[in-house]
């Protein structure tokens, strides 16, 4: 497995940070400080380096420090080829620009996979019992990093969705069924490639999830069911088409079945934007029947499988970002998380209380207060 880690982070006018330069360990890094000090913003800056976007906001302008017209995040990535500089910057005039090793990237998808990350936040602990949107965001984040073409497919799908919904609202006033069918055909062309890529992912990921769950819970009696947007039942991923043409046919059938409902509600009800993922544990839906401890173990199994999946797809260990997670877990789950992260790869975790930092001299402790880095130990 190739090694990859973030050696240094430099930020300017980012969130509550006027500026900072922080050096990191290739292993575990603890960011310690009170609430509001800027710990999560450091994780967010690392995430921006990896995916070109925030996990807290979809608006680039919201990342700028109060009174600033822009922001900049830079990082030094160390791998077997040496040191590479990644820079992501935004300003209100020129928008977002990304450079890797001094060269501008023509599109955001070219950044994907340069530094794969996995994210642990309190929201992620609610993957099973939270909203479908939370699970779709998890899925999108994973696929964007493992398949550079997925981001472009998803962007085309989102643009087509906006156009079709606007057309449905407009055509609903005119009752123009012919035009509605034409917009439906365009939607199918944009949505089918996304659905096909998700199905291929589930087939590769599911055995990894079962293996991780067996290690976490002592049983492999777990399953992942998929309910594509527009479908009435959740089924195993193997039940769905394995190629784009099959998805075109399925989406066409679903649109025909639900076209009257779409006309009435003036919105698109069929397609990947409404996908749902269900986790089953011992034959029943985990969100309803698993205990809180079992649910958290299942989430950790999802994450362990995520690490392995990215490793196999990209050939490097992903960087782990953990935002105030240890205080949410009991001793048993904290121990499992530590084992899962293992000695390979780099990780960053925030905490308000130093007692949550494992007693390990190899961990680098970085003290943060009021948007500034204090002493650094380790």
């Amino acid at each position: 497995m190739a090694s990859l880690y973030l050696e240094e982070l430099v930020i300017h006018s980012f969130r509550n940070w006027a500026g900072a330069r922080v050096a990191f360990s290739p292993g575990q890094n603890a960011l310690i400080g009170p609430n509001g000090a800027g710990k999560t913003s450091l994780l967010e800056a690392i995430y921006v380096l990896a995916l070109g976007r925030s996990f807290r906001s979809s608006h680039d302008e919201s990342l700028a420090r109060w009174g600033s017209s822009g922001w900049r995040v830079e990082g030094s990535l160390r791998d077997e080829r040496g040191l590479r500089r990644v820079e992501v910057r935004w300003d209100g005039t020129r928008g977002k620009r990304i450079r890797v090793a001094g060269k501008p990237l023509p599109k955001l998808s070219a950044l994907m996979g340069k530094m794969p990350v996995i994210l642990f936040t309190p929201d992620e602990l609610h993957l099973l019992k939270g909203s479908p949107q939370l699970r779709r965001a998890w899925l999108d984040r994973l696929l964007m990093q493992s398949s550079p073409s997925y981001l472009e497919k998803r962007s085309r799908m989102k643009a087509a969705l906006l156009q079709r919904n606007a057309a449905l609202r407009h055509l609903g006033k005119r009752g123009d069924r012919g035009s509605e069918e034409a917009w439906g055909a365009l939607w199918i062309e944009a949505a089918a490639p996304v659905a096909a890529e998700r199905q291929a992912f589930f087939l590769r990921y599911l055995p990894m999830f079962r293996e991780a769950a067996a290690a976490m819970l002592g049983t492999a009696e777990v399953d992942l069911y998929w309910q594509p947007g527009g479908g009435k039942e959740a089924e195993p991923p193997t039940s769905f088409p394995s190629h784009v043409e099959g998805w075109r046919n399925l989406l066409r059938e679903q649109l025909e079945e639900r076209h009257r409902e779409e006309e009435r509600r003036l919105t698109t009800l069929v397609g990947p934007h409404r996908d749902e993922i269900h986790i089953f544990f011992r034959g029943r839906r985990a969100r309803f029947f698993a205990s809180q401890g079992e649910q958290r173990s299942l989430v950790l199994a999802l994450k362990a499988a995520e690490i392995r999946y990215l490793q196999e797809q990209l050939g490097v260990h992903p960087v782990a970002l953990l935002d105030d997670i240890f205080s949410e877990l009991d001793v048993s789950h904290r121990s499992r998380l530590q084992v899962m992260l293992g000695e390979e790869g780099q990780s960053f975790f925030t905490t308000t209380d130093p007692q949550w930092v494992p007693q390990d001299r190899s961990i680098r402790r970085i003290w943060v207060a009021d948007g500034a880095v204090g002493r650094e130990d380790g």
Side-chain angles (χ1 to χ4, degrees):
M1 186 68 60
S3 63
L4 169 73
Y5 69 95
L6 181 64
E7 191 172 271
E8 182 183 66
L9 175 71
V10 179
I11 54 177
H12 295 276
S13 299
F14 187 86
R15 293 292 193 182
N16 61 325
W17 292 83
R21 181 183 297 269
V22 193
F24 298 121
S25 159
Q28 296 188 56
N29 297 267
L31 307 173
I32 307 166
N35 290 325
K39 306 183 302 299
T40 298
S41 296
L42 289 178
L43 292 191
E44 185 180 22
I46 297 170
Y47 188 93
V48 167
L49 281 178
L51 280 86
R53 60 184 68 191
S54 166
F55 62 83
R56 300 162 75 192
S57 173
S58 59
H59 303 290
D60 290 327
E61 61 270 21
S62 69
L63 308 185
R65 190 168 187 258
W66 180 257
S68 299
S69 59
W71 51 264
R72 177 161 54 94
V73 176
E74 299 176 54
S76 298
L77 297 184
R78 175 77 65 178
D79 60 19
E80 71 278 2
R81 293 173 294 178
L83 198 65
R84 281 181 298 161
R85 198 76 172 172
V86 178
E87 178 188 28
V88 183
R89 62 166 63 201
W90 176 89
D91 64 61
T93 302
R94 301 177 65 182
K96 184 156 56 187
R97 289 160 288 155
I98 303 173
R99 288 178 175 270
V100 175
K103 298 179 180 180
L105 296 186
K107 50 191 176 182
L108 181 59
S109 59
L111 180 64
M112 300 299 111
K114 293 286 191 296
M115 184 180 71
V117 297
I118 58 169
L119 181 67
F120 293 78
T121 68
D123 278 347
E124 297 282 301
L125 289 176
H126 301 297
L127 270 174
L128 297 190
K129 59 185 179 181
S131 70
Q133 184 177 2
L134 192 63
R135 287 180 285 281
R136 287 194 296 270
W138 164 78
L139 176 61
D140 283 337
R141 183 168 58 245
L142 186 47
L143 279 171
M144 283 190 294
Q145 296 186 86
S146 61
S147 173
S149 66
Y150 181 79
L151 178 58
E152 296 180 18
K153 293 173 185 176
R154 181 173 170 271
S155 296
R156 286 195 295 270
M157 185 192 78
K158 289 179 68 176
L161 179 63
L162 290 173
Q163 292 172 334
R164 184 167 190 261
N165 284 342
L168 282 172
R169 291 191 294 270
H170 177 67
L171 297 173
K173 300 174 183 177
R174 296 168 48 193
D176 189 343
R177 175 69 173 147
S179 296
E180 181 185 330
E181 290 178 353
W183 282 107
L186 292 173
W187 169 240
I188 289 170
E189 286 302 308
V194 173
E197 187 139 4
R198 287 183 179 180
Q199 197 263 356
F201 159 77
F202 285 130
L203 294 181
R204 292 191 297 267
Y205 177 83
L206 183 52
M208 301 178 189
F209 172 50
R210 286 179 176 147
E211 185 177 327
M216 293 282 178
L217 290 147
T219 176
E221 292 183 72
V222 299
D223 224 325
L224 183 153
Y225 276 44
W226 183 21
Q227 185 176 353
K232 296 179 180 178
E233 300 292 336
E235 300 182 57
T238 51
S239 303
F240 299 103
S242 58
H243 49 81
V244 174
E245 186 56 39
W247 277 102
R248 291 191 185 105
N249 294 333
L250 179 58
L251 290 168
R252 195 175 293 115
E253 293 171 6
Q254 291 176 336
L255 282 178
E256 187 59 36
E257 289 174 2
R258 303 194 68 176
H259 82 268
R260 293 191 184 280
E261 187 180 0
E262 288 188 332
E263 288 174 351
R264 186 175 69 254
R265 296 173 60 177
L266 303 180
T267 192
T268 301
L269 301 175
V270 171
H273 65 299
R274 296 178 69 89
D275 279 2
E276 172 61 300
I277 303 164
H278 301 279
I279 304 299
F280 281 72
F281 178 58
R282 291 179 173 154
R284 302 196 295 179
R285 287 191 180 179
R287 67 177 302 179
F288 300 122
F289 297 104
S291 68
Q292 181 170 309
E294 289 167 340
Q295 287 182 359
R296 297 208 162 177
S297 292
L298 286 166
V299 170
L300 291 182
L302 284 168
K303 288 295 179 177
E306 183 177 344
I307 292 173
R308 181 177 165 190
Y309 178 81
L310 287 174
Q311 285 176 327
E312 292 195 0
Q313 292 297 115
L314 301 174
V316 296
H317 198 292
V319 172
L321 307 178
L322 302 90
D323 189 25
D324 197 24
I325 287 297
F326 288 109
S327 61
E328 298 275 339
L329 301 173
D330 58 25
V331 174
S332 173
H333 286 99
R334 286 200 298 273
S335 176
R336 290 177 186 176
L337 180 56
Q338 285 291 326
V339 171
M340 186 179 80
L341 293 175
E343 297 181 359
E344 292 185 55
Q346 187 178 37
S347 60
F348 300 85
F349 57 90
T350 68
T351 181
T352 58
D353 192 337
Q355 74 169 336
W356 299 121
V357 181
Q359 297 302 309
D360 187 330
R361 292 185 178 181
S362 67
I363 296 176
R364 184 176 182 83
R365 292 162 175 80
I366 301 168
W367 301 81
V368 181
D370 298 324
V373 174
R375 74 180 193 274
E376 302 177 28
D377 308 327

